[in-house]
Amino acid sequence: MDLSKEKKIAMYQDMLKIRLFEEKVFELYGQNIVPGTIHLYAGEEAVAVGVCTNLRKEDYIVSTHRGHGHCIAKGARLDKTMAEILGKKTGYCKGKGGSMHIADFSIGMLGATAVVGAGIPIATGAGLSIKLRGTDQVAACFFGDGASNQGTFHEGVNMAAIWKLPVLFICENNLYAMGTHQRRVMLVKHVMERAVAYGIPGVCVDGNNVLEVYEATLEACKRARNGDGPTLIECKTYRRKGHSRWDPATYRPKGEVDEWLNKDPIQRMKKHLIVDGVFSESKLIEIEEEVMNSIEEAVKFALDSPFPQPEEALEDVYA
Ligand SMILES: Cc1ncc(C[n+]2csc(CCOP(=O)(O)OP(=O)(O)O)c2C)c(N)n1
Ligand SMILES: [Mg+2]
C-alpha cells in the first residue's frame, strides 16, 4: 500500500485524538456541564480517519448525530469543537448548535444533522455542485446502518448514481440503530448489497482496520474524481458505549461486546506500527502525551469561554 510512514503515524494520532477527546466529553457530561445529550464516536475512529486521510481540505464531508470524530478527522480545531459541545460562544456555531450541529465550511465540513439519514441528500447536492462547477473535489457522506433504511438513502444514492456525482457513501454499520439490531430491520446481511439496486460499486470493509478503510476510500476517490460516479462503502464497526450518554446498552450480548472491544481499531494500528518498525513504543507514548495535552488545552479554552447572551439568540438564523 502506498502509505508513507508519516501518514500512518498521522492516522494513528488522529484516531487517538478522537478517542481521548470522546473520553473527555464523557467525563465532562458526567459533571453535568454538557447541555443536551451526546453520541460518542469511540470505537469507530478508523472509519472517519481512514476516509478523511484520502480527502483534501477542499473536499466535503457531511456528518451525523455521532459527528465529533468526523469533524476531528477532517481537521476541525479541538478547542472550537469542545466549546461548541459545551454551548460556548467561542464554539464553531457560537454555542447555538451543540454536539449534533457542528459545521466548518472552511475545512469542507458541511455540517452534522440529528435527523437520521438527512445528510445523504445534502451530500448528493454537494456532489451536484462539484459537478456543475467542474472541479475534482469529492463529497463524503457518513451515515449509519439505521439511516440506510430511510427513504433519503434511496433517493440520494440513486440520484448520485444516475448523474455520476463524485460522492462517497460511507455506511458506518455498528450493528445497531439505538437499541435495534440490524437483523430486525433489514433482510440483507450487508448494506453494501444495496449498491446493486443503484448500479454502483458496493464494497464492505473491516471498519475497525484503518488501513482497509483507507484503501477502499482511495479507490472510491479515484473513481469519483475521474467522473465515474459514487461508491457505497460499508464499514463494519462497533460503538464502545451505548447509543447516547444515557444508554447503558444492556441489549448487547456480553460475548458480542467483548469480541468487538478486542478488535479495537487504535490498538490494532498501534500493533501494526510497532511490528512494521514504523515506531518504537516510547515514541507512541510521546504521541499520546502530545494528544492529551492538546485535549486539555481545548477543555481549558472551552471552560474559560463565555456562554452566548440571550439577545444573540436570533442572530445568524438566516444566512
Ligand atoms: C428521522 C429520525 N428518526 C429517528 C430518530 C431518532 N434516532 C436518533 S439516532 C437513531 C439511530 C440511528 O442509527 P444509525 O443510523 O445506525 O446510527 P448510529 O447511531 O448507530 O451511529 C434514531 C432512530 C431521528 N433522530 N431522526
Ligand atoms: Mg448504527
Side-chain angles (χ1 to χ4, degrees), residues 4 33 46 50 67 79 86 114 123 149 156 161 170 177 187 208-209 247 249 269 280 300 304 310 318:
S4 67
I33 50 176
D79 52 0
L86 294 193
N149 295 321
I170 312 293
L187 295 184
N208 279 21
N209 181 341
D247 173 21
M269 185 59 169
S280 63
K300 186 173 181 332
D304 290 349
Y318 297 103

Side-chain angles (χ1 to χ4, degrees), residues 144-146 172-178 239:
D145 44 291
E172 305 181 309
N173 187 347
N174 57 14
L175 279 179
Y176 293 87
M178 300 186 80
R239 48 175 156 74

Side-chain angles (χ1 to χ4, degrees), residues 113 132 170 249 282 305:
T113 164
L132 291 174
I170 312 293
S282 63
S305 295

Side-chain angles (χ1 to χ4, degrees), residues 44 65-66 114-116 144-147 150 174 176-178 239 243:
E44 306 187 11
H65 54 285
R66 202 176 298 290
V115 180
V116 172
D145 44 291
Q150 292 285 72
N174 57 14
Y176 293 87
M178 300 186 80
R239 48 175 156 74
H243 168 72

Side-chain angles (χ1 to χ4, degrees), residues 94 118 220:
K94 301 186 186 173

